[in-house]
Amino acid sequence: MPRLGVNIDHIATVRQARKGDFPDPLQAAGTVKKAGADGITVHLREDRRHIQEKDVRAIRRKVRLPLNLEMAATSAMVAFARKVRPQEACLVPERREELTTEGGLDAASRVPDLKKKILALKKAEILVSIFVDPSIRQVRAAALAGADCVELHTGRYADSKGKAAQRREFAKLAAAGKEARRLGLILNAGHGLGYGNVRRVARIPGMNGLNIGFSIVSRALFTGLERAVRDMKALVKI
């Protein structure tokens, strides 16, 4: 059964709207754990629009679940990750003007630089993933750079309209997943997945983990966070 990592960035988004202390991402992480999630995901962005350094440190120190730190592939973020030592770091592209991550990291154009950053993270005993579009070329580049995992960007699949478009986008995910397995990479996926489209992705052969946030936090507004996580966990089971 694929593991469910719950991204709690948007708990912090609500908090930062008032620049206060509530709702607390640490409390959310505890609720997510109680609901049966297999891990916590947070994205410490350059502009600190939601998650803050203190959140990452508190969750890493106090929550008995693996922490996946999504981060830009910069020297500053590598240094921070080496201090906090999350169980996993996922290298993602980042632009200040974007609402959310818009696509995968172009690993193929950055292999030498990524190699250095991945090696530094591995020396701190951090498992390293690269968030890539479902492309054979990008998956191969991630392996060449020394990543342990790839996380396939599922946004285009999630946003596709009509059965034909969904089939095309899913075929890309399946092919990229197959190549990741052939190369010995751990296979994860995420972005845009919700309660109506997650099952098919969860059933891709060799799928290790799904990182899902916005749809869970959105449902939690009506059901509560614990119920929202339990509902998603039930759908991820295969």
Side-chain angles (χ1 to χ4, degrees):
M1 183 178 75
R3 297 166 56 83
L4 174 61
V6 178
N7 186 314
I8 58 172
D9 289 348
H10 290 300
I11 301 297
T13 297
V14 176
R15 178 193 62 192
Q16 295 304 110
R18 291 290 182 93
K19 306 295 184 184
D21 298 322
F22 184 81
D24 185 357
L26 177 60
Q27 182 180 357
T31 301
V32 164
K33 179 179 184 297
K34 181 181 178 183
D38 302 295
I40 303 293
T41 294
V42 296
H43 184 176
L44 182 64
R45 297 186 68 107
E46 181 188 22
D47 61 10
R48 304 302 193 262
R49 68 177 66 169
H50 39 56
I51 293 293
Q52 308 295 305
E53 290 97 327
K54 66 178 182 180
D55 300 319
V56 183
R57 293 190 183 97
I59 293 167
R60 178 67 180 92
R61 186 172 64 252
K62 297 182 179 181
V63 179
R64 301 296 183 184
L65 276 182
L67 174 62
N68 172 35
L69 175 62
E70 294 181 344
M71 51 180 271
T74 64
S75 297
M77 283 306 308
V78 169
F80 176 79
R82 283 172 55 87
K83 290 178 182 178
V84 178
R85 297 182 70 178
Q87 282 81 2
E88 184 172 343
C90 185
L91 303 178
V92 303
E94 190 173 306
R95 295 189 308 117
R96 284 201 175 200
E97 61 269 27
E98 66 189 359
L99 289 176
T100 184
T101 306
E102 295 173 345
L105 184 67
D106 185 6
S109 70
R110 298 185 57 181
V111 170
D113 176 57
L114 290 174
K115 275 185 176 180
K116 295 176 184 178
K117 291 178 170 60
I118 289 170
L119 181 59
L121 291 166
K122 285 188 172 185
K123 285 182 177 178
E125 300 181 342
I126 300 169
L127 194 76
V128 183
S129 177
I130 303 181
F131 185 71
V132 296
D133 287 328
S135 152
I136 301 296
R137 178 170 176 260
Q138 295 298 338
V139 170
R140 289 175 179 171
L144 188 61
D148 302 294
C149 324
V150 287
E151 180 172 339
L152 300 180
H153 175 240
T154 54
R156 293 184 183 88
Y157 162 74
D159 293 339
S160 59
K161 306 297 183 184
K163 291 183 178 180
Q166 289 174 355
R167 282 195 298 268
R168 286 194 300 270
E169 295 302 328
F170 182 79
K172 295 176 187 177
L173 291 169
K178 183 178 181 179
E179 182 66 7
R181 298 194 309 276
R182 187 187 72 79
L183 293 169
L185 295 169
I186 298 169
L187 177 61
N188 299 325
H191 197 81
L193 294 176
Y195 295 85
N197 60 22
V198 70
R199 273 188 164 172
R200 198 175 186 192
V201 177
R203 291 171 178 166
I204 291 175
M207 184 60 68
N208 171 73
L210 300 169
N211 291 307
I212 303 173
F214 185 77
S215 62
I216 291 175
V217 173
S218 296
R219 177 171 286 208
L221 294 174
F222 302 98
T223 69
L225 184 56
E226 185 174 346
R227 173 64 183 275
V229 173
R230 291 188 186 278
D231 289 347
M232 182 60 77
K233 180 77 172 177
L235 289 171
V236 168
K237 291 181 179 179
I238 57 174

